[in-house]
Amino acid sequence: MSVLIKGGRIITAADDYVGDIYVEGERISLIGESLDLQAERVIDAAGKYVLPGLRRPSYAPRHAVRRDDDDR
């Protein structure tokens, strides 16, 4: 399945800009501005944050996530 995520605020370790992300299967194939591609599903992400590569943060090991109460 292909998915095109359009117009989201893309945040990576190096960049922060509005753009599109094209996903084929389970992999990000292309990131850019105003991508003109056909996809089986198109998601309008205008006004939303998109964090490519972030995978299920709820499954992160406890030691990988610091909380404010960790100092207690």
Side-chain angles (χ1 to χ4, degrees), residues 5-10 17-21 32-34 50:
I5 304 169
K6 300 273 302 166
R9 182 171 172 191
I10 299 171
Y17 60 95
V18 174
D20 306 334
I21 298 177
E33 296 180 30
S34 301
V50 182

Side-chain angles (χ1 to χ4, degrees), residues 56-66:
R56 298 182 192 241
S58 61
Y59 290 106
R62 186 181 185 322
H63 65 272
V65 178
R66 181 174 173 81

Side-chain angles (χ1 to χ4, degrees), residues 60-72:
R62 186 181 185 322
H63 65 272
V65 178
R66 181 174 173 81
R67 299 183 327 214
D68 289 337
D69 64 350
D70 282 348
D71 292 331
R72 291 186 219 175

Side-chain angles (χ1 to χ4, degrees), residues 37-55:
L37 300 168
Q38 296 295 317
E40 294 170 87
R41 182 173 179 202
V42 177
I43 299 172
D44 179 8
K48 302 198 173 30
Y49 294 104
V50 182
L51 301 128
L54 184 63
R55 299 176 60 189

